[in-house]
Amino acid sequence: MRVSKRSIGAVAGWVRRQPPKVKAFLSVVSGMAALAFLRFVVHDHDNLFVAAEAVHAVGISVLIYKLTKEKTCAGLSLKSQELTALFLSVRLYCSFVMEYDIHTLLDSATLVTTLWVMYMIRFKLRSSYMEDKDNFAVYYVVVPCAVLALLVHPTTSHNFVNRIFWAFCVYLEAVSVLPQLRLMQNTKIVEPFTAHYVFALGIARFLSCAHWVLQVLDTHGRLLTALGYGLWPSMVLLSEIVQTFILADFCYYYVKSIFGGQLVLRLPAGVV
């Protein structure tokens, strides 16, 4: 076990000393290797989406435990929860008017939970909320996402406004975790339950991204054609990739901390 920890520590130290371009290259290579592994191990790639939803549910369960048992919301970003509620609300509307399916029920459950978390942070546990640290300006992501949705949206036969809403929720989901990452960067220290929750988000989004990428490969690109034409299909795939890489750095330090036997995650400067 000690040898394993030393080996992991040596690799982590080597990676930490590399310039940003090398780190980015290593991240891409690691992602491609993970995708190749999943492609050969998971035969039905739809299971990856189910796994993503399951991991997300685990993350939410950890969050509920933190708020009900620990009686604190320290380290949690209210703004990130508000962005999550916003894109889920828009996506639910689109689901009802465009394509009602099982995902509508899953999103409904997630939205209810998110609204409960917002209520707990804003009212019940307000005294432990780090408002001064939760200082990400949400209009930096909401406005660009709205503008991008106006410019690039689905080319289906649905109502024009509904297509813009659909694009908006896809773009906003990709960046909704940024306020949470900013808060953690401001505090530099992340307590276990918050770290577990954010790590679960990272894994869920990677599995969701893997589902999309592998489906595109399996259909030889026909899935993108089914989504429409123009830039929209590429933007859907890019959004999945972006939200995965946004959390990749945090997940690296989380794994490093776990293998190092640290209960509290300490983030170095510049992670977010």
Side-chain angles (χ1 to χ4, degrees):
M1 184 65 176
R2 290 182 179 179
V3 175
S4 176
K5 287 185 176 180
R6 288 177 183 173
S7 300
I8 293 172
V11 173
W14 178 83
V15 172
R16 190 167 55 249
R17 292 191 299 270
Q18 301 308 306
K21 289 184 178 180
V22 174
K23 289 182 179 178
F25 173 75
L26 291 174
S27 298
V28 172
V29 171
S30 300
M32 293 177 65
L35 283 175
F37 174 78
L38 289 175
R39 188 177 190 185
F40 288 106
V41 172
V42 182
H43 300 293
D44 185 356
H45 296 147
D46 283 334
N47 290 334
L48 292 175
F49 189 84
V50 176
E53 293 292 339
V55 174
H56 192 186
V58 170
I60 292 176
S61 300
V62 170
L63 200 57
I64 292 174
Y65 180 87
K66 172 185 171 68
L67 296 177
T68 55
K69 300 298 183 182
E70 299 290 317
K71 300 296 184 182
T72 177
C73 63
L76 290 178
S77 168
L78 176 60
K79 292 182 178 180
S80 203
Q81 296 299 320
E82 289 172 342
L83 290 179
T84 300
L86 177 57
F87 84 72
L88 282 173
S89 299
V90 175
R91 190 160 73 188
L92 270 175
Y93 165 77
C94 292
S95 294
F96 279 118
V97 300
M98 298 171 71
E99 48 176 10
Y100 186 90
D101 55 18
I102 184 61
H103 303 307
T104 306
L105 298 178
L106 295 175
D107 283 344
S108 298
T110 305
L111 177 59
V112 169
T113 305
T114 302
L115 293 174
W116 178 82
V117 170
M118 289 169 54
Y119 169 78
M120 293 294 288
I121 295 175
R122 188 177 291 277
F123 299 106
K124 293 294 186 180
L125 305 173
R126 181 79 183 184
S127 60
S128 59
Y129 171 46
M130 299 177 173
E131 188 172 3
D132 58 324
K133 302 294 184 182
D134 194 13
N135 56 8
F136 187 91
V138 293
Y139 57 81
Y140 282 160
V141 293
V142 174
V143 174
C145 286
V147 172
L148 187 58
L150 284 170
L151 299 175
V152 183
H153 48 264
T155 55
T156 59
S157 59
H158 298 96
N159 180 275
F160 177 71
V161 175
N162 293 341
R163 286 186 279 136
I164 291 177
F165 281 162
W166 185 4
F168 175 71
C169 69
V170 168
Y171 300 144
L172 188 59
E173 181 184 14
V175 294
S176 61
V177 75
L178 287 179
Q180 179 65 58
L181 294 180
R182 170 62 68 84
L183 187 153
M184 293 189 300
Q185 184 61 60
N186 288 338
T187 60
K188 294 295 190 296
I189 298 177
V190 186
E191 57 83 33
F193 288 111
T194 302
H196 298 336
Y197 165 67
V198 177
F199 180 71
L201 287 183
I203 296 299
R205 292 186 173 182
F206 169 74
L207 292 173
S208 178
C209 179
H211 166 259
W212 275 95
V213 172
L214 294 179
Q215 288 284 65
V216 170
L217 293 175
D218 289 345
T219 60
H220 303 288
R222 289 192 299 274
L223 178 62
L224 292 179
T225 304
L227 291 173
Y229 55 87
L231 292 175
W232 170 245
S234 300
M235 290 302 293
V236 172
L237 191 58
L238 181 61
S239 296
E240 291 287 339
I241 295 173
V242 166
Q243 61 181 315
T244 300
F245 276 93
I246 283 177
L247 285 164
D249 212 17
F250 172 84
C251 290
Y252 162 74
Y253 284 102
Y254 175 89
V255 173
K256 179 176 177 290
S257 176
I258 292 297
F259 277 102
Q262 300 175 12
L263 295 178
V264 177
L265 176 60
R266 300 178 184 275
L267 296 177
V271 171
V272 182

